[in-house]
Amino acid sequence: ILNVEQSPQSLHVQEGDSTNFTCSFPSSNFYALHWYRWETAKSPEALFVMTLNGDEKKKGRISATLNTKEGYSYLYIKGSQPEDSATYLCALYMDTGRRALTFGSGTRLQVQP
Amino acid sequence: DADVTQTPRNRITKTGKRIMLECSQTKGHDRMYWYRQDPGLGLRLIYYSFDVKDINKGEISDGYSVSRQAQAKFSLSLESAIPNQTALYFCATSDSGQHTDTQYFGPGTRLTVL
Protein backbone atom coordinates (compact mmCIF):
# COMPACT_ATOMS: atom_id res chain seq x y z
CA ILE A 1 0.00 0.00 0.00
CA LEU A 2 1.27 3.43 -0.98
CA ASN A 3 2.30 5.62 1.97
CA VAL A 4 1.27 9.25 1.82
CA GLU A 5 2.61 11.00 4.88
CA GLN A 6 1.44 14.39 6.10
CA SER A 7 3.09 16.47 8.78
CA PRO A 8 2.47 17.86 11.23
CA GLN A 9 -0.65 16.01 12.32
CA SER A 10 -2.05 19.20 13.86
CA LEU A 11 -1.09 22.82 14.09
CA HIS A 12 -2.29 25.74 16.20
CA VAL A 13 -1.40 29.25 15.04
CA GLN A 14 -2.48 32.79 15.82
CA GLU A 15 -4.47 34.90 13.41
CA GLY A 16 -2.06 36.62 11.05
CA ASP A 17 0.65 33.96 11.27
CA SER A 18 1.85 32.32 8.10
CA THR A 19 2.16 28.56 8.16
CA ASN A 20 3.03 25.60 6.03
CA PHE A 21 2.75 21.85 6.11
CA THR A 22 4.10 18.91 4.18
CA CYS A 23 2.91 15.95 2.16
CA SER A 24 5.55 13.27 1.46
CA PHE A 25 5.24 10.35 -0.93
CA PRO A 26 7.30 7.80 -2.86
CA SER A 27 8.60 9.70 -5.86
CA SER A 28 8.42 6.91 -8.44
CA ASN A 29 5.43 6.36 -10.73
CA PHE A 30 3.88 9.66 -9.84
CA TYR A 31 0.89 10.96 -11.79
CA ALA A 32 -0.78 13.72 -9.78
CA LEU A 33 -1.07 15.22 -6.31
CA HIS A 34 -4.31 16.67 -5.00
CA TRP A 35 -4.88 18.97 -2.01
CA TYR A 36 -8.30 19.04 -0.35
CA ARG A 37 -9.64 21.27 2.40
CA TRP A 38 -12.04 19.72 4.88
CA GLU A 39 -13.91 21.92 7.33
CA THR A 40 -15.56 20.31 10.32
CA ALA A 41 -19.13 19.14 9.58
CA LYS A 42 -18.67 19.77 5.86
CA SER A 43 -17.46 17.78 2.86
CA PRO A 44 -13.84 17.82 1.68
CA GLU A 45 -13.39 20.28 -1.19
CA ALA A 46 -10.63 20.39 -3.79
CA LEU A 47 -7.97 23.07 -3.52
CA PHE A 48 -5.31 22.16 -6.07
CA VAL A 49 -4.27 19.45 -8.49
CA MET A 50 -0.57 19.35 -9.35
CA THR A 51 1.24 17.21 -11.88
CA LEU A 52 4.59 18.68 -12.85
CA ASN A 53 7.84 18.85 -10.96
CA GLY A 54 8.30 22.44 -9.82
CA ASP A 55 4.60 23.16 -10.24
CA GLU A 56 3.20 25.93 -8.08
CA LYS A 57 -0.47 26.74 -7.55
CA LYS A 58 -2.08 29.67 -5.76
CA LYS A 59 -5.59 30.52 -4.60
CA GLY A 60 -5.81 33.71 -2.61
CA ARG A 61 -3.60 33.36 0.46
CA ILE A 62 -3.05 29.64 -0.07
CA SER A 63 -0.35 28.27 -2.32
CA ALA A 64 1.27 24.91 -2.94
CA THR A 65 4.51 23.67 -4.45
CA LEU A 66 5.47 20.25 -5.74
CA ASN A 67 8.79 18.40 -5.94
CA THR A 68 8.20 15.07 -7.67
CA LYS A 69 11.87 14.11 -7.76
CA GLU A 70 12.22 14.17 -3.99
CA GLY A 71 8.62 13.26 -3.26
CA TYR A 72 7.05 16.14 -1.37
CA SER A 73 4.58 18.99 -1.63
CA TYR A 74 4.25 22.01 0.63
CA LEU A 75 1.03 23.88 1.32
CA TYR A 76 1.47 27.49 2.50
CA ILE A 77 -1.08 29.76 4.08
CA LYS A 78 -0.10 33.42 4.31
CA GLY A 79 -1.62 35.50 7.10
CA SER A 80 -3.84 32.75 8.54
CA GLN A 81 -7.42 33.65 9.38
CA PRO A 82 -9.87 31.79 11.65
CA GLU A 83 -11.83 30.70 8.56
CA ASP A 84 -8.72 28.80 7.41
CA SER A 85 -9.26 26.37 10.30
CA ALA A 86 -9.76 22.98 8.68
CA THR A 87 -8.08 19.69 7.95
CA TYR A 88 -5.92 19.79 4.83
CA LEU A 89 -5.72 16.48 3.00
CA CYS A 90 -3.14 15.44 0.46
CA ALA A 91 -3.96 12.65 -2.01
CA LEU A 92 -1.93 10.96 -4.72
CA TYR A 93 -2.73 9.24 -7.96
CA MET A 94 0.10 6.80 -8.60
CA ASP A 95 0.87 4.13 -11.15
CA THR A 96 0.22 1.24 -8.78
CA GLY A 97 -2.54 -0.45 -10.76
CA ARG A 98 -5.11 1.03 -8.44
CA ARG A 99 -6.98 3.66 -10.40
CA ALA A 100 -7.94 5.85 -7.48
CA LEU A 101 -6.55 8.42 -5.07
CA THR A 102 -4.67 7.48 -1.92
CA PHE A 103 -5.18 9.99 0.87
CA GLY A 104 -2.85 11.01 3.65
CA SER A 105 -4.14 11.37 7.19
CA GLY A 106 -4.29 15.15 6.98
CA THR A 107 -2.99 18.17 8.86
CA ARG A 108 -5.52 19.75 11.18
CA LEU A 109 -5.05 23.53 11.34
CA GLN A 110 -6.61 25.70 14.04
CA VAL A 111 -6.25 29.47 13.79
CA GLN A 112 -6.89 31.34 16.99
CA PRO A 113 -8.39 34.85 16.68
CA ASP B 1 -29.52 21.32 -4.21
CA ALA B 2 -26.41 19.31 -3.39
CA ASP B 3 -24.79 17.45 -6.26
CA VAL B 4 -23.82 14.45 -4.12
CA THR B 5 -26.24 13.34 -1.43
CA GLN B 6 -25.98 10.64 1.18
CA THR B 7 -28.67 8.99 3.27
CA PRO B 8 -28.93 8.61 6.17
CA ARG B 9 -26.76 11.36 7.61
CA ASN B 10 -26.56 9.70 10.98
CA ARG B 11 -27.29 6.13 12.01
CA ILE B 12 -26.96 4.21 15.23
CA THR B 13 -27.30 0.46 14.99
CA LYS B 14 -26.47 -2.70 16.88
CA THR B 15 -23.85 -5.34 16.27
CA GLY B 16 -24.99 -7.92 13.74
CA LYS B 17 -27.52 -5.72 11.96
CA ARG B 18 -27.46 -5.20 8.20
CA ILE B 19 -27.04 -1.58 7.21
CA MET B 20 -27.22 0.15 3.83
CA LEU B 21 -25.81 3.59 3.15
CA GLU B 22 -26.99 5.25 -0.02
CA CYS B 23 -25.34 7.78 -2.30
CA SER B 24 -26.89 9.66 -5.20
CA GLN B 25 -25.36 12.18 -7.55
CA THR B 26 -26.66 14.61 -10.13
CA LYS B 27 -23.27 15.50 -11.62
CA GLY B 28 -23.51 12.90 -14.36
CA HIS B 29 -20.18 11.40 -13.34
CA ASP B 30 -19.27 7.83 -14.19
CA ARG B 31 -16.98 7.19 -11.26
CA MET B 32 -18.16 6.81 -7.67
CA TYR B 33 -16.29 5.98 -4.49
CA TRP B 34 -16.93 5.01 -0.87
CA TYR B 35 -14.48 6.05 1.84
CA ARG B 36 -14.42 5.78 5.58
CA GLN B 37 -12.77 8.28 7.85
CA ASP B 38 -11.42 7.41 11.26
CA PRO B 39 -9.65 9.89 13.53
CA GLY B 40 -5.97 10.12 12.64
CA LEU B 41 -6.29 7.86 9.60
CA GLY B 42 -7.54 10.15 6.86
CA LEU B 43 -9.82 8.81 4.14
CA ARG B 44 -9.51 5.12 3.32
CA LEU B 45 -11.03 3.70 0.17
CA ILE B 46 -13.58 0.91 0.61
CA TYR B 47 -14.91 0.36 -2.92
CA TYR B 48 -14.97 2.26 -6.17
CA SER B 49 -16.93 1.94 -9.38
CA PHE B 50 -16.12 3.18 -12.87
CA ASP B 51 -19.57 2.37 -14.23
CA VAL B 52 -22.48 0.10 -13.38
CA LYS B 53 -20.57 -2.98 -14.53
CA ASP B 54 -17.15 -2.13 -13.12
CA ILE B 55 -16.72 -2.35 -9.35
CA ASN B 56 -13.39 -2.56 -7.60
CA LYS B 57 -12.24 -3.26 -4.07
CA GLY B 58 -10.33 -0.60 -2.22
CA GLU B 59 -7.88 -1.03 0.60
CA ILE B 60 -10.43 -1.95 3.30
CA SER B 61 -13.28 -3.80 1.56
CA ASP B 62 -13.61 -6.69 4.04
CA GLY B 63 -16.98 -6.59 5.78
CA TYR B 64 -18.53 -4.34 3.14
CA SER B 65 -20.33 -4.83 -0.15
CA VAL B 66 -21.58 -2.36 -2.76
CA SER B 67 -24.17 -2.07 -5.46
CA ARG B 68 -24.14 0.33 -8.41
CA GLN B 69 -27.82 0.41 -9.28
CA ALA B 70 -27.47 3.12 -11.90
CA GLN B 71 -24.95 5.72 -12.98
CA ALA B 72 -26.33 8.05 -10.33
CA LYS B 73 -26.58 5.62 -7.40
CA PHE B 74 -23.97 3.72 -5.43
CA SER B 75 -24.90 1.93 -2.21
CA LEU B 76 -22.65 0.59 0.53
CA SER B 77 -23.82 -2.32 2.70
CA LEU B 78 -22.55 -3.68 5.96
CA GLU B 79 -23.92 -7.22 6.02
CA SER B 80 -23.35 -7.73 9.73
CA ALA B 81 -22.21 -4.54 11.41
CA ILE B 82 -19.51 -4.66 14.06
CA PRO B 83 -18.36 -1.90 16.45
CA ASN B 84 -15.07 -1.25 14.64
CA GLN B 85 -17.09 -0.16 11.61
CA THR B 86 -18.12 2.90 13.60
CA ALA B 87 -16.83 5.75 11.44
CA LEU B 88 -17.72 8.64 9.17
CA TYR B 89 -18.49 7.40 5.66
CA PHE B 90 -18.10 9.56 2.56
CA CYS B 91 -19.31 8.98 -0.96
CA ALA B 92 -17.51 10.79 -3.77
CA THR B 93 -17.72 11.11 -7.54
CA SER B 94 -15.38 12.05 -10.34
CA ASP B 95 -15.86 12.58 -14.05
CA SER B 96 -13.62 10.47 -16.22
CA GLY B 97 -11.19 9.07 -13.69
CA GLN B 98 -8.19 10.83 -15.13
CA HIS B 99 -5.41 11.40 -12.63
CA THR B 100 -6.20 15.12 -12.56
CA ASP B 101 -9.93 14.72 -11.95
CA THR B 102 -11.29 16.35 -8.84
CA GLN B 103 -13.41 14.24 -6.55
CA TYR B 104 -16.68 15.69 -5.27
CA PHE B 105 -17.75 14.52 -1.85
CA GLY B 106 -21.12 14.05 -0.25
CA PRO B 107 -21.91 15.37 3.24
CA GLY B 108 -20.99 12.12 4.97
CA THR B 109 -22.86 9.53 7.02
CA ARG B 110 -21.90 9.12 10.65
CA LEU B 111 -22.43 5.48 11.59
CA THR B 112 -22.27 4.18 15.15
CA VAL B 113 -22.35 0.43 15.79
CA LEU B 114 -23.10 -0.46 19.41
Side-chain angles (χ1 to χ4, degrees):
Chain A
I1 294 179
L2 171 68
N3 283 329
V4 179
E5 303 285 343
Q6 290 191 246
S7 62
Q9 192 170 29
S10 65
L11 199 52
H12 289 74
V13 301
Q14 293 295 125
E15 183 175 355
D17 288 349
S18 293
T19 187
N20 67 85
F21 23 93
T22 307
C23 175
S24 303
F25 54 89
S27 57
S28 60
N29 302 320
F30 171 87
Y31 280 170
L33 183 143
H34 298 234
W35 280 102
Y36 285 81
R37 181 172 180 272
W38 179 24
E39 289 182 72
T40 302
K42 295 187 178 180
S43 309
E45 291 185 342
L47 277 174
F48 305 117
V49 180
M50 309 173 79
T51 58
L52 301 175
N53 186 46
D55 202 1
E56 184 169 341
K57 301 280 187 179
K58 188 173 182 180
K59 185 182 291 188
R61 293 178 292 98
I62 303 177
S63 61
T65 60
L66 176 65
N67 185 321
T68 59
K69 293 180 180 178
E70 297 187 23
Y72 65 84
S73 175
Y74 292 144
L75 190 77
Y76 299 91
I77 302 179
K78 183 178 179 182
S80 302
Q81 299 296 309
E83 58 265 30
D84 296 327
S85 297
T87 297
Y88 292 84
L89 298 166
C90 165
L92 261 78
Y93 198 111
M94 302 283 283
D95 179 19
T96 58
R98 179 178 138 188
R99 298 164 289 165
L101 292 174
T102 299
F103 282 82
S105 57
T107 293
R108 184 172 181 177
L109 173 67
Q110 287 190 272
V111 182
Q112 300 289 349
Chain B
D1 288 341
D3 293 321
V4 184
T5 57
Q6 292 182 233
T7 56
R9 295 292 310 279
N10 289 282
R11 181 73 184 267
I12 300 173
T13 191
K14 294 182 179 180
T15 297
K17 294 290 187 181
R18 185 179 187 274
I19 298 296
M20 179 180 284
L21 309 183
E22 299 189 348
C23 177
S24 295
Q25 53 115 346
T26 59
K27 298 189 76 66
H29 287 169
D30 285 329
R31 302 198 168 201
M32 299 186 73
Y33 310 81
W34 275 106
Y35 294 92
R36 66 176 278 176
Q37 195 275 329
D38 299 274
L41 292 180
L43 295 173
R44 292 185 292 165
L45 185 64
I46 306 172
Y47 272 96
Y48 57 112
S49 170
F50 293 161
D51 63 40
V52 293
K53 296 181 181 179
D54 187 354
I55 292 178
N56 304 273
K57 291 183 178 181
E59 56 191 289
I60 54 163
S61 58
D62 288 348
Y64 301 94
S65 62
V66 290
S67 173
R68 184 82 184 267
Q69 302 95 321
Q71 187 204 35
K73 295 184 183 296
F74 192 35
S75 300
L76 176 72
S77 293
L78 288 68
E79 297 300 325
S80 180
I82 56 177
N84 75 3
Q85 292 177 311
T86 293
L88 180 60
Y89 290 84
F90 282 107
C91 173
T93 75
S94 67
D95 189 2
S96 63
Q98 293 295 315
H99 57 280
T100 53
D101 275 0
T102 293
Q103 290 193 8
Y104 297 87
F105 287 84
T109 295
R110 187 165 295 281
L111 176 65
T112 303
V113 183
L114 301 176

